Amino acid sequence: MKKLIFTLLLLTILLPVAWSQGSQVYETLSVKSGILNMDRKYAIYLPEGYDQTDRSYPVLYLLHGGGDDQTGWVQFGQVQHIADKAIREGTAAPMIIVMPDANTGVRGYFNAVDGSFEYEDFFFQELIPHIEKTYRVRSERRYRAVAGLSMGGGGTIFYALHQPDLFAAAAPLSAATGNWDPEQLKKRLKDSGSKATDQQMETYYQRHNIESMIKNAPEEELKKIKQIRWYISCGDDDFLYEGNSLMHILFHKNEIPHEYRVKDGAHTWSYWRNELPIVLEFVSGSFTQL
């Protein structure tokens, strides 16, 4: 009888621990894409307590760089450890973090110049609706942010510029800032064997040149871009430093509020791991109310 009582007491103590879960990360989830005609993988971070309540969460779309896939931020960026720590210490709001794969079929976050592979359409028309249908995500603009490194930094910039009414915050890190010279773009595309016409190249350039987009944006669109909370960061030894500096100058001239940080570092995971807690705190400023 004493042994039974002891066992019941022990279970009373341990069961809450056993049933309480920490954060969860899933690396190989997928969504069927009719636009791309394939299944597309993504990884997702669910904060501690997600399975214990019916609470809905803000969402950060966190984009990887060239050569990585949806597991990059999990494996090399240590997103689970960093997010857990930031949320536990109160510097970041509990949030869902979605990390899509942009390294399958055609590498990159944008639609192909010739329209043969429309990844950006997939992202907005299929991935975001899938996430908001499958997970308890707050779907209002103020609860949605985008961030990324290198190629994913470029994705961050142009997703926010293309759809400014969808994002409250954007945080490009060491970003590939797109095409600053139309002739360089045409040469690069022709050298790669692209069959795109001159008109297709010109249209692509106008849509992926920050200066053109800001200059040609209607007043209402520019107002939305200015309402986004921008955090731009690049290492002083990064080979993409010049493009990030030009973006900062362009934003400054056009009175687009933003935080611009140049820090000691290069195009490395150690730089991006150090920046991730800052990004989480920064986007949380849009998710919370002072």
Side-chain angles (χ1 to χ4, degrees):
M1 185 67 181
K2 289 183 178 179
K3 184 176 181 181
L4 177 60
I5 294 173
F6 175 78
T7 302
L8 289 173
L9 286 172
L10 187 62
L11 286 173
T12 302
I13 295 170
L14 294 180
L15 273 175
V17 177
W19 281 103
S20 65
Q21 293 183 342
S23 65
Q24 303 166 70
V25 168
Y26 300 94
E27 288 190 344
T28 55
L29 301 172
S30 65
V31 54
K32 182 174 288 295
S33 171
I35 292 173
L36 301 178
N37 195 31
M38 62 170 65
D39 289 345
R40 297 297 305 195
K41 290 182 179 179
Y42 65 92
I44 195 165
Y45 166 91
L46 301 175
E48 181 178 0
Y50 180 86
D51 287 340
Q52 278 75 55
T53 72
D54 62 355
R55 174 184 177 181
S56 295
Y57 294 87
V59 60
L60 168 65
Y61 290 89
L62 187 60
L63 312 182
H64 66 76
D68 285 326
D69 57 22
Q70 80 282 359
T71 66
W73 275 106
V74 178
Q75 181 65 36
F76 306 120
Q78 300 177 9
V79 65
Q80 185 172 20
H81 167 73
I82 291 172
D84 283 352
K85 185 174 186 291
I87 293 170
R88 185 172 61 248
E89 294 178 352
T91 58
M95 69 183 77
I96 291 172
I97 303 175
V98 180
M99 296 154 279
D101 169 31
N103 198 44
T104 300
V106 175
R107 178 183 293 180
Y109 292 96
F110 309 134
N111 293 346
V113 182
D114 60 4
S116 60
F117 196 82
E118 299 180 324
Y119 186 93
E120 186 171 345
D121 289 354
F122 152 75
F123 184 92
F124 287 106
Q125 297 176 29
E126 294 181 325
L127 179 63
I128 289 181
H130 169 78
I131 295 298
E132 294 184 350
K133 180 180 178 181
T134 307
Y135 304 95
R136 296 195 308 277
V137 170
R138 295 187 181 275
S139 58
E140 300 94 329
R141 173 184 184 265
R142 67 165 296 180
Y143 298 116
R144 187 186 300 110
V146 61
L149 66 91
S150 193
M151 179 180 81
T156 298
I157 293 167
F158 290 102
Y159 281 6
L161 291 178
H162 291 166
Q163 301 281 356
D165 54 334
L166 290 186
F167 298 106
L173 307 176
S174 311
T177 55
N179 307 286
W180 295 91
D181 186 323
E183 295 307 315
Q184 286 182 1
L185 171 64
K186 290 178 181 179
K187 182 178 185 305
R188 178 170 61 81
L189 290 173
K190 288 178 179 178
D191 289 347
S192 69
S194 172
K195 304 298 184 183
T197 65
D198 286 347
Q199 182 57 54
Q200 286 175 322
M201 291 183 191
E202 176 63 24
T203 300
Y204 185 89
Y205 173 76
Q206 293 297 331
R207 188 166 170 77
H208 298 90
N209 173 260
I210 303 173
E211 191 170 20
S212 296
M213 293 202 66
I214 299 301
K215 179 181 177 181
N216 299 325
E219 184 177 344
E220 189 61 30
E221 195 82 354
L222 188 59
K223 181 180 178 181
K224 293 177 182 178
I225 291 170
K226 291 181 177 182
Q227 289 172 346
I228 296 171
R229 299 180 68 250
W230 290 91
Y231 177 82
I232 304 165
S233 175
C234 191
D236 56 0
D237 293 321
D238 197 303
F239 70 95
L240 294 174
Y241 170 81
E242 181 178 356
N244 283 262
S245 300
L246 290 173
M247 180 178 174
H248 158 61
I249 293 169
L250 180 66
F251 273 30
H252 180 72
K253 286 182 176 179
N254 287 274
E255 299 181 336
I256 298 174
H258 65 288
E259 292 190 22
Y260 176 59
R261 301 290 179 265
V262 177
K263 303 178 182 180
D264 182 36
H267 207 75
T268 62
W269 273 108
S270 59
Y271 187 88
W272 303 320
R273 281 192 298 269
N274 286 334
E275 284 297 283
L276 184 56
I278 300 169
V279 168
L280 296 178
E281 182 175 2
F282 181 81
V283 302
S284 293
S286 303
F287 302 155
T288 58
Q289 193 167 4
L290 297 177

